[in-house]
Amino acid sequence: MTTDNVRMWTDLNIDLKSHDMLLNALGPIFQEVYLSQKNRPAGMGFYDFVVGDIHGIRVKELREHAKTGGKVVATYCVFVPEELVWAAGAIPVGLCAGTQFSVPMAEEVLPRNTCALIKSSFGFKLGRVCPYVQASHLIVGETTCDGKKKMFEILNQYQPVYVMEVPNKKTERSRTLWHGEVVAFKDVIEKLTGNKITPKKLAEAIDLVNGRRLALQRLYNLRKVRPVPISGKDALLATQVSFYDDAARDTQMLNTLCDELDKRVAAGQGVAPANAPRILISGSPMAIPNWKLHHIIESAGAVVVCEESCTGTRFFSDLVKPTPHNLEQQLTAIADRYMNIHCACFTPNDERPDDVVRLAKEYQVDGVIHYNLQFCHTYANEGYKMAERLEKEGIPMLRIETDYSDEDAGQLRTRIEAFLEMIKH
Ligand code: BJ8
């Protein structure tokens, strides 16, 4: 903890005592979950460094940006089109909200029976323990689920929040509504930054974000190989860091990691034996530092090879299609790309089980673990249809409902070990 950092956190009105407790808790967890792994790619050193200084260097970069009049825009959902933020010269930051630490803080205000992701994010603001929240000039929310959209109303009392309306159906009328929301968001960002979004700037931003998506696609494609060259935990960490690192640097680091994994694949080198059970996780996103399920699964001898989630394939599978440098066409291409995210907030949402079946085949998985955060009704309900569909396809599935606490870790371990035993060849 450098004096510079402490000064920066003080300027950001961080509650230093709570913040110390948070960082002190993170170190041993990271040691146990990550650094104890054997045979890790050297390229993960960058990500270890990022986590080791999680509230330092990147926050400093954001502060430098702000000093020259630049804006920081914080988001909680992959529906917020980050291209528009970059194109206006602002920096988007996906907020984390994956720790139990801030949950009790939020429970002083929010109902206890709210999902951990919502409580964790709100607790960060209430407890003033997240420098990313404190450094942001605008928080952008969305209407994806009831808990979030009502939380944003309260959050707005603490910090400016703008909410995008995400439709709940995939009809033409909904697409028109969403297109209007994307155009309105452009106006909001232009007003915030004082910068006009030009077709040229937007084309550059589309290329920037697509470049990172392509690098993540490359990483995930490498996980299709048997034996798999990278653990699920490490791939998850690389994806989580992509939410707040600089997009150009992140793309470069991901590609460097993939170059190394290419060599591992060529040499037949894996992180787990070729016959280790291969698991696909599908469901709620896992914000940093939520590594709980991956850790239990991989400690039991299996390997997670894919996540169908917003901290997985839903984050990068689709690119914004190339268009001429014309604002209207670019905005339509952006709106179309984001409407294709198969979040459980949509009804019906049959594309999601279709995706899971396709991914299960592509990644040669032995079983699917359906993961939903407790009190997340959209994913919990969709678990029923997912189970029906996977049964028809002959793909074994285990349903897990959990939160960020460690209270159920023993019980989860027992259930996961029994599942792995059942699906072993
Ligand atoms: S596009 S998955 S990131 S909404 S887990 S807060 S849904 S009660 S996070 Fe999500 Fe966007 Fe959808 Fe993805 Fe509500 Fe459920 Fe909590 Fe959730």
Side-chain angles (χ1 to χ4, degrees), residues 76-79 115-118 142 144-148 283-285 309-310 314 341 343-345 373-379:
Y76 287 111
C77 173
V78 296
F79 263 104
C115 101
L117 197 146
I118 297 173
E142 12 62 48
T144 46
C145 74
D146 291 351
K148 261 188 179 177
S284 310
S309 81
C310 290
R314 275 182 246 136
I341 298 168
C343 173
C345 68
L373 284 171
Q374 197 181 20
F375 309 123
C376 172
H377 304 310
T378 50
Y379 281 93

PDB file of all heavy atoms in Angstrom, residues 76-79 115-118 142 144-148 283-285 309-310 314 341 343-345 373-379, ligand 1:
ATOM      1  N   TYR A  76     -23.004  -1.645 -14.914  1.00  0.00           N
ATOM      2  CA  TYR A  76     -23.235  -2.907 -14.194  1.00  0.00           C
ATOM      3  C   TYR A  76     -23.693  -4.030 -15.104  1.00  0.00           C
ATOM      4  O   TYR A  76     -24.046  -5.091 -14.620  1.00  0.00           O
ATOM      5  CB  TYR A  76     -24.331  -2.717 -13.138  1.00  0.00           C
ATOM      6  CG  TYR A  76     -23.898  -1.919 -11.949  1.00  0.00           C
ATOM      7  CD1 TYR A  76     -24.406  -0.652 -11.733  1.00  0.00           C
ATOM      8  CD2 TYR A  76     -22.991  -2.433 -11.032  1.00  0.00           C
ATOM      9  CE1 TYR A  76     -24.027   0.092 -10.639  1.00  0.00           C
ATOM     10  CE2 TYR A  76     -22.603  -1.701  -9.932  1.00  0.00           C
ATOM     11  CZ  TYR A  76     -23.117  -0.442  -9.733  1.00  0.00           C
ATOM     12  OH  TYR A  76     -22.740   0.289  -8.646  1.00  0.00           O
ATOM     13  N   CYS A  77     -23.754  -3.759 -16.392  1.00  0.00           N
ATOM     14  CA  CYS A  77     -24.411  -4.763 -17.238  1.00  0.00           C
ATOM     15  C   CYS A  77     -23.837  -4.684 -18.641  1.00  0.00           C
ATOM     16  O   CYS A  77     -23.510  -3.597 -19.136  1.00  0.00           O
ATOM     17  CB  CYS A  77     -25.915  -4.472 -17.274  1.00  0.00           C
ATOM     18  SG  CYS A  77     -26.854  -5.490 -18.419  1.00  0.00           S
ATOM     19  N   VAL A  78     -23.763  -5.833 -19.313  1.00  0.00           N
ATOM     20  CA  VAL A  78     -23.179  -5.876 -20.653  1.00  0.00           C
ATOM     21  C   VAL A  78     -24.121  -5.307 -21.720  1.00  0.00           C
ATOM     22  O   VAL A  78     -23.787  -5.314 -22.898  1.00  0.00           O
ATOM     23  CB  VAL A  78     -22.743  -7.313 -21.035  1.00  0.00           C
ATOM     24  CG1 VAL A  78     -21.638  -7.809 -20.115  1.00  0.00           C
ATOM     25  CG2 VAL A  78     -23.914  -8.272 -21.046  1.00  0.00           C
ATOM     26  N   PHE A  79     -25.277  -4.814 -21.310  1.00  0.00           N
ATOM     27  CA  PHE A  79     -26.167  -4.159 -22.277  1.00  0.00           C
ATOM     28  C   PHE A  79     -25.754  -2.720 -22.590  1.00  0.00           C
ATOM     29  O   PHE A  79     -26.204  -2.144 -23.577  1.00  0.00           O
ATOM     30  CB  PHE A  79     -27.618  -4.157 -21.770  1.00  0.00           C
ATOM     31  CG  PHE A  79     -28.411  -5.285 -22.338  1.00  0.00           C
ATOM     32  CD1 PHE A  79     -28.700  -6.395 -21.579  1.00  0.00           C
ATOM     33  CD2 PHE A  79     -28.848  -5.242 -23.650  1.00  0.00           C
ATOM     34  CE1 PHE A  79     -29.401  -7.459 -22.105  1.00  0.00           C
ATOM     35  CE2 PHE A  79     -29.554  -6.294 -24.194  1.00  0.00           C
ATOM     36  CZ  PHE A  79     -29.839  -7.404 -23.421  1.00  0.00           C
ATOM     37  N   CYS A 115     -30.600 -10.236  -4.623  1.00  0.00           N
ATOM     38  CA  CYS A 115     -29.447 -11.035  -5.042  1.00  0.00           C
ATOM     39  C   CYS A 115     -28.128 -10.393  -4.611  1.00  0.00           C
ATOM     40  O   CYS A 115     -28.032  -9.168  -4.474  1.00  0.00           O
ATOM     41  CB  CYS A 115     -29.478 -11.301  -6.547  1.00  0.00           C
ATOM     42  SG  CYS A 115     -28.390 -10.250  -7.500  1.00  0.00           S
ATOM     43  N   ALA A 116     -27.127 -11.241  -4.393  1.00  0.00           N
ATOM     44  CA  ALA A 116     -25.841 -10.794  -3.837  1.00  0.00           C
ATOM     45  C   ALA A 116     -25.163  -9.760  -4.740  1.00  0.00           C
ATOM     46  O   ALA A 116     -24.478  -8.863  -4.258  1.00  0.00           O
ATOM     47  CB  ALA A 116     -24.926 -11.993  -3.641  1.00  0.00           C
ATOM     48  N   LEU A 117     -25.354  -9.899  -6.055  1.00  0.00           N
ATOM     49  CA  LEU A 117     -24.709  -8.964  -6.984  1.00  0.00           C
ATOM     50  C   LEU A 117     -25.222  -7.533  -6.760  1.00  0.00           C
ATOM     51  O   LEU A 117     -24.459  -6.572  -6.729  1.00  0.00           O
ATOM     52  CB  LEU A 117     -24.994  -9.437  -8.405  1.00  0.00           C
ATOM     53  CG  LEU A 117     -24.117  -8.887  -9.519  1.00  0.00           C
ATOM     54  CD1 LEU A 117     -23.927  -9.958 -10.581  1.00  0.00           C
ATOM     55  CD2 LEU A 117     -24.717  -7.680 -10.157  1.00  0.00           C
ATOM     56  N   ILE A 118     -26.511  -7.414  -6.575  1.00  0.00           N
ATOM     57  CA  ILE A 118     -27.109  -6.088  -6.351  1.00  0.00           C
ATOM     58  C   ILE A 118     -26.658  -5.548  -4.998  1.00  0.00           C
ATOM     59  O   ILE A 118     -26.247  -4.386  -4.873  1.00  0.00           O
ATOM     60  CB  ILE A 118     -28.651  -6.182  -6.414  1.00  0.00           C
ATOM     61  CG1 ILE A 118     -29.094  -6.618  -7.804  1.00  0.00           C
ATOM     62  CG2 ILE A 118     -29.295  -4.854  -6.027  1.00  0.00           C
ATOM     63  CD1 ILE A 118     -30.578  -6.908  -7.929  1.00  0.00           C
ATOM     64  N   GLU A 142     -29.606  -0.210 -15.867  1.00  0.00           N
ATOM     65  CA  GLU A 142     -30.533  -0.729 -16.883  1.00  0.00           C
ATOM     66  C   GLU A 142     -31.723  -1.382 -16.167  1.00  0.00           C
ATOM     67  O   GLU A 142     -31.681  -1.616 -14.979  1.00  0.00           O
ATOM     68  CB  GLU A 142     -29.880  -1.749 -17.827  1.00  0.00           C
ATOM     69  CG  GLU A 142     -28.531  -2.284 -17.441  1.00  0.00           C
ATOM     70  CD  GLU A 142     -28.526  -3.030 -16.145  1.00  0.00           C
ATOM     71  OE1 GLU A 142     -29.407  -3.884 -15.966  1.00  0.00           O
ATOM     72  OE2 GLU A 142     -27.650  -2.782 -15.293  1.00  0.00           O
ATOM     73  N   THR A 144     -32.928  -4.400 -16.461  1.00  0.00           N
ATOM     74  CA  THR A 144     -32.942  -5.836 -16.766  1.00  0.00           C
ATOM     75  C   THR A 144     -33.725  -6.640 -15.735  1.00  0.00           C
ATOM     76  O   THR A 144     -34.396  -7.590 -16.069  1.00  0.00           O
ATOM     77  CB  THR A 144     -31.506  -6.376 -16.843  1.00  0.00           C
ATOM     78  OG1 THR A 144     -30.781  -5.872 -15.727  1.00  0.00           O
ATOM     79  CG2 THR A 144     -30.823  -5.979 -18.129  1.00  0.00           C
ATOM     80  N   CYS A 145     -33.590  -6.303 -14.467  1.00  0.00           N
ATOM     81  CA  CYS A 145     -34.367  -7.054 -13.471  1.00  0.00           C
ATOM     82  C   CYS A 145     -34.899  -6.081 -12.422  1.00  0.00           C
ATOM     83  O   CYS A 145     -34.388  -4.973 -12.264  1.00  0.00           O
ATOM     84  CB  CYS A 145     -33.546  -8.171 -12.838  1.00  0.00           C
ATOM     85  SG  CYS A 145     -32.310  -7.588 -11.675  1.00  0.00           S
ATOM     86  N   ASP A 146     -35.937  -6.504 -11.719  1.00  0.00           N
ATOM     87  CA  ASP A 146     -36.630  -5.597 -10.789  1.00  0.00           C
ATOM     88  C   ASP A 146     -35.705  -5.098  -9.680  1.00  0.00           C
ATOM     89  O   ASP A 146     -35.723  -3.932  -9.311  1.00  0.00           O
ATOM     90  CB  ASP A 146     -37.831  -6.307 -10.158  1.00  0.00           C
ATOM     91  CG  ASP A 146     -38.918  -6.550 -11.183  1.00  0.00           C
ATOM     92  OD1 ASP A 146     -38.801  -6.014 -12.302  1.00  0.00           O
ATOM     93  OD2 ASP A 146     -39.879  -7.281 -10.874  1.00  0.00           O
ATOM     94  N   GLY A 147     -34.900  -6.037  -9.147  1.00  0.00           N
ATOM     95  CA  GLY A 147     -34.028  -5.674  -8.035  1.00  0.00           C
ATOM     96  C   GLY A 147     -33.069  -4.569  -8.424  1.00  0.00           C
ATOM     97  O   GLY A 147     -32.878  -3.584  -7.700  1.00  0.00           O
ATOM     98  N   LYS A 148     -32.466  -4.722  -9.606  1.00  0.00           N
ATOM     99  CA  LYS A 148     -31.505  -3.718 -10.053  1.00  0.00           C
ATOM    100  C   LYS A 148     -32.189  -2.390 -10.304  1.00  0.00           C
ATOM    101  O   LYS A 148     -31.716  -1.343  -9.873  1.00  0.00           O
ATOM    102  CB  LYS A 148     -30.864  -4.196 -11.359  1.00  0.00           C
ATOM    103  CG  LYS A 148     -29.494  -4.828 -11.212  1.00  0.00           C
ATOM    104  CD  LYS A 148     -28.987  -5.034 -12.620  1.00  0.00           C
ATOM    105  CE  LYS A 148     -27.633  -5.631 -12.702  1.00  0.00           C
ATOM    106  NZ  LYS A 148     -27.247  -5.856 -14.098  1.00  0.00           N
ATOM    107  N   GLY A 283     -25.319 -19.352 -16.552  1.00  0.00           N
ATOM    108  CA  GLY A 283     -26.212 -18.639 -15.651  1.00  0.00           C
ATOM    109  C   GLY A 283     -25.792 -17.231 -15.332  1.00  0.00           C
ATOM    110  O   GLY A 283     -25.343 -16.487 -16.201  1.00  0.00           O
ATOM    111  N   SER A 284     -25.922 -16.864 -14.063  1.00  0.00           N
ATOM    112  CA  SER A 284     -25.653 -15.493 -13.609  1.00  0.00           C
ATOM    113  C   SER A 284     -24.177 -15.153 -13.795  1.00  0.00           C
ATOM    114  O   SER A 284     -23.322 -16.034 -13.733  1.00  0.00           O
ATOM    115  CB  SER A 284     -25.977 -15.343 -12.124  1.00  0.00           C
ATOM    116  OG  SER A 284     -27.247 -15.840 -11.808  1.00  0.00           O
ATOM    117  N   PRO A 285     -23.876 -13.874 -13.987  1.00  0.00           N
ATOM    118  CA  PRO A 285     -22.473 -13.488 -14.116  1.00  0.00           C
ATOM    119  C   PRO A 285     -21.700 -13.639 -12.811  1.00  0.00           C
ATOM    120  O   PRO A 285     -22.293 -13.654 -11.735  1.00  0.00           O
ATOM    121  CB  PRO A 285     -22.543 -12.014 -14.515  1.00  0.00           C
ATOM    122  CG  PRO A 285     -23.921 -11.556 -14.248  1.00  0.00           C
ATOM    123  CD  PRO A 285     -24.805 -12.740 -14.108  1.00  0.00           C
ATOM    124  N   SER A 309     -22.308 -16.980 -19.796  1.00  0.00           N
ATOM    125  CA  SER A 309     -22.752 -15.969 -18.843  1.00  0.00           C
ATOM    126  C   SER A 309     -22.262 -14.617 -19.340  1.00  0.00           C
ATOM    127  O   SER A 309     -21.561 -14.529 -20.359  1.00  0.00           O
ATOM    128  CB  SER A 309     -22.183 -16.256 -17.454  1.00  0.00           C
ATOM    129  OG  SER A 309     -20.853 -15.800 -17.357  1.00  0.00           O
ATOM    130  N   CYS A 310     -22.586 -13.570 -18.582  1.00  0.00           N
ATOM    131  CA  CYS A 310     -22.121 -12.249 -19.001  1.00  0.00           C
ATOM    132  C   CYS A 310     -20.680 -12.009 -18.607  1.00  0.00           C
ATOM    133  O   CYS A 310     -20.079 -11.033 -19.045  1.00  0.00           O
ATOM    134  CB  CYS A 310     -23.060 -11.172 -18.474  1.00  0.00           C
ATOM    135  SG  CYS A 310     -24.631 -11.277 -19.339  1.00  0.00           S
ATOM    136  N   ARG A 314     -21.491 -14.422 -23.339  1.00  0.00           N
ATOM    137  CA  ARG A 314     -22.435 -13.343 -23.680  1.00  0.00           C
ATOM    138  C   ARG A 314     -21.742 -11.983 -23.792  1.00  0.00           C
ATOM    139  O   ARG A 314     -22.280 -11.050 -24.364  1.00  0.00           O
ATOM    140  CB  ARG A 314     -23.542 -13.251 -22.621  1.00  0.00           C
ATOM    141  CG  ARG A 314     -24.687 -14.204 -22.865  1.00  0.00           C
ATOM    142  CD  ARG A 314     -25.768 -14.011 -21.809  1.00  0.00           C
ATOM    143  NE  ARG A 314     -25.873 -15.178 -20.976  1.00  0.00           N
ATOM    144  CZ  ARG A 314     -25.993 -15.168 -19.657  1.00  0.00           C
ATOM    145  NH1 ARG A 314     -26.034 -14.024 -18.993  1.00  0.00           N
ATOM    146  NH2 ARG A 314     -26.077 -16.289 -18.991  1.00  0.00           N
ATOM    147  N   ILE A 341     -28.071 -10.238 -26.934  1.00  0.00           N
ATOM    148  CA  ILE A 341     -27.549 -10.840 -25.699  1.00  0.00           C
ATOM    149  C   ILE A 341     -28.696 -11.618 -25.056  1.00  0.00           C
ATOM    150  O   ILE A 341     -29.744 -11.043 -24.761  1.00  0.00           O
ATOM    151  CB  ILE A 341     -27.060  -9.734 -24.734  1.00  0.00           C
ATOM    152  CG1 ILE A 341     -25.914  -8.944 -25.368  1.00  0.00           C
ATOM    153  CG2 ILE A 341     -26.628 -10.335 -23.397  1.00  0.00           C
ATOM    154  CD1 ILE A 341     -25.571  -7.662 -24.620  1.00  0.00           C
ATOM    155  N   CYS A 343     -29.964 -12.625 -22.289  1.00  0.00           N
ATOM    156  CA  CYS A 343     -30.128 -12.517 -20.827  1.00  0.00           C
ATOM    157  C   CYS A 343     -31.485 -13.084 -20.435  1.00  0.00           C
ATOM    158  O   CYS A 343     -32.464 -12.977 -21.190  1.00  0.00           O
ATOM    159  CB  CYS A 343     -30.045 -11.046 -20.440  1.00  0.00           C
ATOM    160  SG  CYS A 343     -30.418 -10.720 -18.713  1.00  0.00           S
ATOM    161  N   ALA A 344     -31.557 -13.635 -19.234  1.00  0.00           N
ATOM    162  CA  ALA A 344     -32.815 -14.223 -18.762  1.00  0.00           C
ATOM    163  C   ALA A 344     -33.891 -13.168 -18.504  1.00  0.00           C
ATOM    164  O   ALA A 344     -35.032 -13.510 -18.198  1.00  0.00           O
ATOM    165  CB  ALA A 344     -32.559 -15.050 -17.495  1.00  0.00           C
ATOM    166  N   CYS A 345     -33.556 -11.892 -18.646  1.00  0.00           N
ATOM    167  CA  CYS A 345     -34.592 -10.858 -18.475  1.00  0.00           C
ATOM    168  C   CYS A 345     -35.580 -10.892 -19.638  1.00  0.00           C
ATOM    169  O   CYS A 345     -36.656 -10.314 -19.549  1.00  0.00           O
ATOM    170  CB  CYS A 345     -33.951  -9.474 -18.327  1.00  0.00           C
ATOM    171  SG  CYS A 345     -33.134  -8.869 -19.808  1.00  0.00           S
ATOM    172  N   LEU A 373     -27.643 -16.974  -8.815  1.00  0.00           N
ATOM    173  CA  LEU A 373     -27.517 -16.329  -7.514  1.00  0.00           C
ATOM    174  C   LEU A 373     -28.868 -16.413  -6.814  1.00  0.00           C
ATOM    175  O   LEU A 373     -29.915 -16.233  -7.440  1.00  0.00           O
ATOM    176  CB  LEU A 373     -27.094 -14.872  -7.698  1.00  0.00           C
ATOM    177  CG  LEU A 373     -25.625 -14.671  -8.040  1.00  0.00           C
ATOM    178  CD1 LEU A 373     -25.344 -13.220  -8.416  1.00  0.00           C
ATOM    179  CD2 LEU A 373     -24.729 -15.085  -6.872  1.00  0.00           C
ATOM    180  N   GLN A 374     -28.792 -16.671  -5.518  1.00  0.00           N
ATOM    181  CA  GLN A 374     -30.018 -16.750  -4.737  1.00  0.00           C
ATOM    182  C   GLN A 374     -30.808 -15.441  -4.893  1.00  0.00           C
ATOM    183  O   GLN A 374     -30.196 -14.356  -4.895  1.00  0.00           O
ATOM    184  CB  GLN A 374     -29.624 -16.950  -3.282  1.00  0.00           C
ATOM    185  CG  GLN A 374     -30.735 -17.433  -2.417  1.00  0.00           C
ATOM    186  CD  GLN A 374     -30.265 -17.586  -0.986  1.00  0.00           C
ATOM    187  OE1 GLN A 374     -29.259 -17.015  -0.578  1.00  0.00           O
ATOM    188  NE2 GLN A 374     -30.977 -18.365  -0.223  1.00  0.00           N
ATOM    189  N   PHE A 375     -32.103 -15.556  -5.042  1.00  0.00           N
ATOM    190  CA  PHE A 375     -33.035 -14.428  -5.222  1.00  0.00           C
ATOM    191  C   PHE A 375     -32.976 -13.832  -6.627  1.00  0.00           C
ATOM    192  O   PHE A 375     -33.558 -12.780  -6.859  1.00  0.00           O
ATOM    193  CB  PHE A 375     -32.816 -13.304  -4.186  1.00  0.00           C
ATOM    194  CG  PHE A 375     -32.790 -13.786  -2.768  1.00  0.00           C
ATOM    195  CD1 PHE A 375     -31.691 -13.535  -1.944  1.00  0.00           C
ATOM    196  CD2 PHE A 375     -33.853 -14.509  -2.246  1.00  0.00           C
ATOM    197  CE1 PHE A 375     -31.656 -13.987  -0.641  1.00  0.00           C
ATOM    198  CE2 PHE A 375     -33.829 -14.964  -0.930  1.00  0.00           C
ATOM    199  CZ  PHE A 375     -32.723 -14.702  -0.131  1.00  0.00           C
ATOM    200  N   CYS A 376     -32.251 -14.456  -7.536  1.00  0.00           N
ATOM    201  CA  CYS A 376     -32.310 -14.027  -8.936  1.00  0.00           C
ATOM    202  C   CYS A 376     -33.386 -14.876  -9.600  1.00  0.00           C
ATOM    203  O   CYS A 376     -33.157 -16.043  -9.944  1.00  0.00           O
ATOM    204  CB  CYS A 376     -30.978 -14.225  -9.649  1.00  0.00           C
ATOM    205  SG  CYS A 376     -31.123 -13.905 -11.414  1.00  0.00           S
ATOM    206  N   HIS A 377     -34.580 -14.288  -9.735  1.00  0.00           N
ATOM    207  CA  HIS A 377     -35.727 -15.086 -10.186  1.00  0.00           C
ATOM    208  C   HIS A 377     -35.679 -15.409 -11.667  1.00  0.00           C
ATOM    209  O   HIS A 377     -36.189 -16.436 -12.097  1.00  0.00           O
ATOM    210  CB  HIS A 377     -37.022 -14.352  -9.834  1.00  0.00           C
ATOM    211  CG  HIS A 377     -37.109 -14.043  -8.380  1.00  0.00           C
ATOM    212  ND1 HIS A 377     -36.895 -15.002  -7.419  1.00  0.00           N
ATOM    213  CD2 HIS A 377     -37.329 -12.886  -7.719  1.00  0.00           C
ATOM    214  CE1 HIS A 377     -37.001 -14.444  -6.224  1.00  0.00           C
ATOM    215  NE2 HIS A 377     -37.251 -13.169  -6.373  1.00  0.00           N
ATOM    216  N   THR A 378     -35.073 -14.529 -12.457  1.00  0.00           N
ATOM    217  CA  THR A 378     -35.065 -14.795 -13.900  1.00  0.00           C
ATOM    218  C   THR A 378     -34.225 -16.045 -14.221  1.00  0.00           C
ATOM    219  O   THR A 378     -34.692 -16.942 -14.924  1.00  0.00           O
ATOM    220  CB  THR A 378     -34.517 -13.569 -14.666  1.00  0.00           C
ATOM    221  OG1 THR A 378     -33.290 -13.174 -14.063  1.00  0.00           O
ATOM    222  CG2 THR A 378     -35.486 -12.433 -14.676  1.00  0.00           C
ATOM    223  N   TYR A 379     -33.032 -16.101 -13.682  1.00  0.00           N
ATOM    224  CA  TYR A 379     -32.182 -17.270 -13.970  1.00  0.00           C
ATOM    225  C   TYR A 379     -32.695 -18.521 -13.257  1.00  0.00           C
ATOM    226  O   TYR A 379     -32.625 -19.629 -13.804  1.00  0.00           O
ATOM    227  CB  TYR A 379     -30.706 -16.984 -13.623  1.00  0.00           C
ATOM    228  CG  TYR A 379     -30.065 -16.175 -14.719  1.00  0.00           C
ATOM    229  CD1 TYR A 379     -30.033 -14.791 -14.646  1.00  0.00           C
ATOM    230  CD2 TYR A 379     -29.576 -16.770 -15.865  1.00  0.00           C
ATOM    231  CE1 TYR A 379     -29.506 -14.028 -15.673  1.00  0.00           C
ATOM    232  CE2 TYR A 379     -29.051 -16.024 -16.906  1.00  0.00           C
ATOM    233  CZ  TYR A 379     -29.015 -14.643 -16.801  1.00  0.00           C
ATOM    234  OH  TYR A 379     -28.505 -13.905 -17.833  1.00  0.00           O
TER     235      TYR A 379
HETATM  236  S1  BJ8 B   1     -27.328  -8.992 -19.400  1.00  0.00           S
HETATM  237  S2  BJ8 B   1     -27.267 -11.365 -16.722  1.00  0.00           S
HETATM  238  S3  BJ8 B   1     -25.165  -8.477 -16.725  1.00  0.00           S
HETATM  239  S4  BJ8 B   1     -28.731  -8.202 -16.295  1.00  0.00           S
HETATM  240  S5  BJ8 B   1     -28.094 -11.938 -10.921  1.00  0.00           S
HETATM  241  S6  BJ8 B   1     -28.727  -8.431 -10.821  1.00  0.00           S
HETATM  242  S7  BJ8 B   1     -30.383 -10.498 -13.260  1.00  0.00           S
HETATM  243  S8  BJ8 B   1     -31.216 -10.659  -9.773  1.00  0.00           S
HETATM  244  S9  BJ8 B   1     -26.744  -9.572 -13.518  1.00  0.00           S
HETATM  245 FE1  BJ8 B   1     -26.984  -9.420 -15.685  1.00  0.00          FE
HETATM  246 FE2  BJ8 B   1     -27.017  -7.674 -17.669  1.00  0.00          FE
HETATM  247 FE3  BJ8 B   1     -28.563  -9.849 -17.751  1.00  0.00          FE
HETATM  248 FE4  BJ8 B   1     -25.983 -10.057 -18.007  1.00  0.00          FE
HETATM  249 FE5  BJ8 B   1     -30.708  -9.198 -11.429  1.00  0.00          FE
HETATM  250 FE6  BJ8 B   1     -30.242 -11.810 -11.459  1.00  0.00          FE
HETATM  251 FE7  BJ8 B   1     -29.009 -10.316  -9.688  1.00  0.00          FE
HETATM  252 FE8  BJ8 B   1     -28.402 -10.126 -12.290  1.00  0.00          FE
END
